[in-house]
Amino acid sequence: MDFLNDTDIVVAIAFVIFVGILLYFGVPKIIGKMLDDRADKIKEEINEARELREEAQSLLASFERKQKEVQGQADKIVETAKAEAEAASAKAQEDLQASIARRMAAAEDQIASAEASAVQEVRDKAVLVAVAAASDVIQKNLKAADQGSLIDQAISEVGTKLH
């Protein structure tokens, strides 16, 4: 038993016994099964990650399409708003010109009315002055007898003209 004194041989025998015990209890099969299970789990995770990536890409494409649609709608809204603003501006301009024309017509009517009123006042004053002048002339040039006959004649004319 000299060979038991040699450590290399003892280690080799212990190693062989250890490997034998491992083989007896089926440790390589267990380790292989564990490695296979781990490989299957990794494959599943890779497949799941691939599916998530494809789903993310489809979502990204969908969001990009929606963004383009929304951008197109926003552009249309801006164009419509600009057109409406221009139309409103043109309408406001037309309304302003119509309002100015109405005010000018009203001012011209007021001027014409004031002018007619002034002409009428001048005529009324002229009539009053003419009546006063005629009255003065008549009073100075007519005698009392002539005045009475003129009054009687005026009364008779008024009676015939009123009936």
Side-chain angles (χ1 to χ4, degrees):
M1 295 230 162
D2 244 355
F3 67 91
L4 291 176
N5 287 335
D6 189 10
T7 59
D8 291 333
I9 292 177
V10 172
V11 168
I13 292 173
F15 180 73
V16 170
I17 293 172
F18 177 71
V19 169
I21 292 173
L22 290 178
L23 290 175
Y24 176 76
F25 287 115
V27 171
K29 289 180 183 178
I30 294 172
I31 291 174
K33 186 176 183 308
M34 289 174 63
L35 289 174
D36 288 342
D37 289 345
R38 178 73 178 150
D40 290 341
K41 188 175 180 181
I42 290 171
K43 285 179 185 177
E44 288 177 15
E45 288 177 358
I46 288 173
N47 288 335
E48 185 178 334
R50 188 175 294 129
E51 289 174 5
L52 287 174
R53 180 175 177 249
E54 291 172 359
E55 184 179 334
Q57 285 178 338
S58 67
L59 280 174
L60 176 63
S62 171
F63 285 136
E64 287 174 349
R65 277 192 313 274
K66 286 181 182 179
Q67 182 201 15
K68 288 179 183 177
E69 290 174 5
V70 168
Q71 184 64 37
Q73 290 175 352
D75 291 342
K76 287 179 184 178
I77 289 171
V78 168
E79 289 175 16
T80 303
K82 283 182 182 179
E84 288 176 358
E86 289 173 1
S89 175
K91 176 71 175 153
Q93 188 70 19
E94 290 174 9
D95 290 346
L96 179 63
Q97 289 177 354
S99 175
I100 290 172
R102 282 192 306 271
R103 288 186 181 195
M104 288 294 288
E108 288 173 359
D109 288 346
Q110 286 178 346
I111 290 170
S113 174
E115 186 177 298
S117 175
V119 167
Q120 188 61 38
E121 283 182 33
V122 168
R123 284 184 184 157
D124 290 344
K125 291 274 185 184
V127 167
L128 289 176
V129 169
V131 167
S135 174
D136 263 354
V137 169
I138 290 173
Q139 281 180 358
K140 289 181 184 175
N141 294 335
L142 282 180
K143 298 180 188 154
D146 291 334
Q147 287 178 1
S149 68
L150 279 177
I151 290 174
D152 290 338
Q153 183 184 358
I155 290 173
S156 67
E157 282 181 22
V158 168
T160 58
K161 289 187 179 181
L162 288 178
H163 291 318

